[in-house]
Amino acid sequence: MSATAPDSATSSDGNGRFAWYRTLGQRGRRAFVGAVGGYGLDSYDFQVLPLGLVAITAYFGITKGEAGLLTTVTLVVSALGGAIAGVLADRLGRTRALMITVVTYAVFTVLCGFATSYEELLVVRALPGLGFVGAWAVGAILVAEYCAPRYRGRTVAFVQSSWAVGWALSVLVYALVFELVHPDLAWRVLFFTGALPALLIIYVRRRVQDAPEATARRTASAERGSFGAIFTGPLARTTAFASLLATGVQGGYYTLATWLPTYLKSERGLTVIGTGGYLAFLISGAFTGYVCGGHLTDELGRKRTFALFSVLSAALILLYTRIPEGANTTILFLGFPLGFCTSAIFSGFGSFLSELYPAHLRGTGQGFTYNSGRAVGALFPAAVGFAAESAGVGGAMAFGAAAYGIAVLALLGLPETLGRELG
């Protein structure tokens, strides 16, 4: 690669605090904006369900186990959608695949607001899953292929940090809607606001392009977008352990994301505004964690960063859900480190999975491993829902801590990829 090409992954524009952004070049910066928007709005559309879950449970008269299934079916189908998005990224290109995923999750999220029964909502909620996470898998690769190797971890981590931004936006809208509208209608309004991401398509279509050099290498291969290829030879071991890593990390995270609002309202006795305030600490920690985790993955290495935050996340989930009654102030401030650790661990995924696969299988490999882990990890929120009937939501959330143990074990079968060039 040329060191002076304006859109090269290794273009030089000094060192300094924002060198990671300057070295992307003009095309890379446009791709970065598109990826951040796609994943941030993906987060927004995902979070409207957990935030409206108490109202939905009351409206349809369902159990906690049935409520947990709404998240599980979303995650399972999103695993399929994310894997398909990876294949599309290798066959159609990163930018086209990004547009397809954004349109998919936006349209089907809106349709959830029209559900007239629990069974109908269960089916319709599965459909946005065809687009969820695909925006991350495709966007992370799109940006990673513009990055200089020394900045790749932190740059892709900033894409990951947009999840916290979308989450924060959903909490603000949730607080506003539920204060102004009766809960029986408010949860529907939340789903209707899921149409917002469609506006991003205009920007992506006009301004975003795939990285030229990576595209040339991808299209030069006759074999693109093949699931069979990532289970052949040495890649088979990589695929198996990377999927296990994704299972553990996402099982822990989605346990927290799905059940924490319910835990705060039903077991800590918080109001809508109170829940929003507590989540603000969690989300602030999450955003900081995404950014700091990206720097750490470039300094400590991919595997050490995953191991560190797996252990810390498990410990904090157990501590958070076992604070005695009357100590809600402790819960409030503990939200920041909890959000920090459970989000910082994701910062390494975009760079790590991109570095594990060659250019012509990068979308397929990343899409499959991350999303197969998402599918299996989706069992954890459902398990919490059913266990909560007897153990309470706080006690059942121990399943999330156990998931992080799986992530630590998976690291034993994966190589360190820090500094690896991408073609």
Side-chain angles (χ1 to χ4, degrees):
M1 294 183 182
S2 170
T4 59
D7 293 304
S8 169
T10 58
S11 63
S12 176
D13 194 11
N15 295 310
R17 183 173 300 176
F18 295 102
W20 63 269
Y21 183 72
R22 293 193 300 272
T23 56
L24 287 172
Q26 185 181 59
R27 290 181 181 176
R29 289 191 288 270
R30 290 174 179 172
F32 176 81
V33 172
V36 164
Y39 193 51
L41 293 170
D42 180 321
S43 170
Y44 180 93
D45 275 20
F46 175 82
Q47 294 293 347
V48 295
L49 173 63
L51 290 169
L53 199 56
V54 171
I56 292 170
T57 300
Y59 184 85
F60 290 117
I62 57 177
T63 66
K64 288 185 175 67
E66 290 171 324
L69 282 176
L70 287 169
T71 295
T72 295
V73 72
T74 302
L75 296 176
V76 170
V77 177
S78 71
L80 173 62
I84 293 172
V87 174
L88 292 177
D90 285 338
R91 294 189 176 187
L92 302 180
R94 316 321 190 192
T95 302
R96 290 181 180 178
L98 179 61
M99 289 191 291
I100 291 171
T101 60
V102 172
V103 168
T104 300
Y105 70 67
V107 170
F108 289 125
T109 296
V110 172
L111 292 180
C112 291
F114 294 100
T116 58
S117 67
Y118 167 73
E119 291 76 17
E120 184 178 331
L121 180 60
L122 188 66
V123 173
V124 178
R125 180 59 181 175
L127 299 177
L130 294 172
F132 285 147
V133 180
W136 175 82
V138 176
I141 297 168
L142 174 65
V143 174
E145 291 176 338
Y146 277 107
C147 292
R150 62 175 172 159
Y151 296 132
R152 188 175 297 122
R154 70 198 70 181
T155 306
V156 178
F158 269 97
V159 176
Q160 192 83 50
S161 73
S162 63
W163 179 272
V165 177
W167 189 4
L169 178 61
S170 69
V171 170
L172 290 174
V173 174
Y174 155 76
L176 177 64
V177 170
F178 273 78
E179 281 297 303
L180 298 177
V181 182
H182 190 277
D184 287 351
L185 178 61
W187 66 268
R188 295 185 185 276
V189 175
L190 272 184
F191 281 121
F192 294 153
T193 63
L196 293 172
L199 298 175
L200 179 68
I201 297 300
I202 299 173
Y203 175 84
V204 174
R205 182 177 177 84
R206 294 180 177 179
R207 308 283 288 176
V208 179
Q209 297 176 327
D210 292 0
E213 294 179 18
T215 299
R217 295 202 180 195
R218 173 177 59 83
T219 55
S221 174
E223 183 180 41
R224 297 200 303 275
S226 167
F227 286 123
I230 63 174
F231 285 100
T232 301
L235 286 181
R237 175 187 173 90
T238 296
T239 299
F241 280 98
S243 298
L244 192 63
L245 173 66
T247 295
V249 172
Q250 295 190 86
Y253 177 81
Y254 284 112
T255 292
L256 186 71
T258 300
W259 288 107
L260 193 61
T262 299
Y263 171 72
L264 291 174
K265 292 186 72 174
S266 65
E267 296 193 11
R268 307 303 301 198
L270 299 180
T271 63
V272 169
I273 296 298
T275 298
Y278 278 62
L279 290 178
F281 273 78
L282 187 78
I283 294 167
S284 297
F287 180 81
T288 308
Y290 284 131
V291 175
C292 293
H295 283 271
L296 284 175
T297 197
D298 282 338
E299 298 297 329
L300 298 180
R302 315 314 190 202
K303 293 177 65 175
R304 287 182 181 178
T305 305
F306 275 114
L308 172 65
F309 288 116
S310 289
V311 173
L312 291 176
S313 296
L316 284 166
I317 286 178
L318 293 176
L319 179 61
Y320 191 94
T321 54
R322 281 155 180 77
I323 298 294
E325 292 184 14
N328 279 1
T329 301
T330 303
I331 290 282
L332 176 69
F333 290 106
L334 196 61
F336 187 91
L338 178 64
F340 183 97
C341 292
T342 55
S343 297
I345 193 171
F346 280 92
S347 297
F349 264 120
S351 53
F352 192 39
L353 296 181
S354 293
E355 292 159 352
L356 288 173
Y357 291 92
H360 64 286
L361 294 173
R362 190 164 294 137
T364 305
Q366 181 156 322
F368 178 84
T369 55
Y370 190 82
N371 289 291
S372 62
R374 188 179 177 96
V376 181
L379 298 176
F380 286 84
V384 170
F386 286 108
E389 299 293 343
S390 58
V393 174
M397 285 176 69
F399 279 103
Y404 287 109
I406 296 174
V408 173
L409 293 176
L411 292 171
L412 298 176
L414 293 168
E416 178 55 64
T417 61
L418 179 64
R420 183 172 293 183
E421 293 280 355
L422 294 187

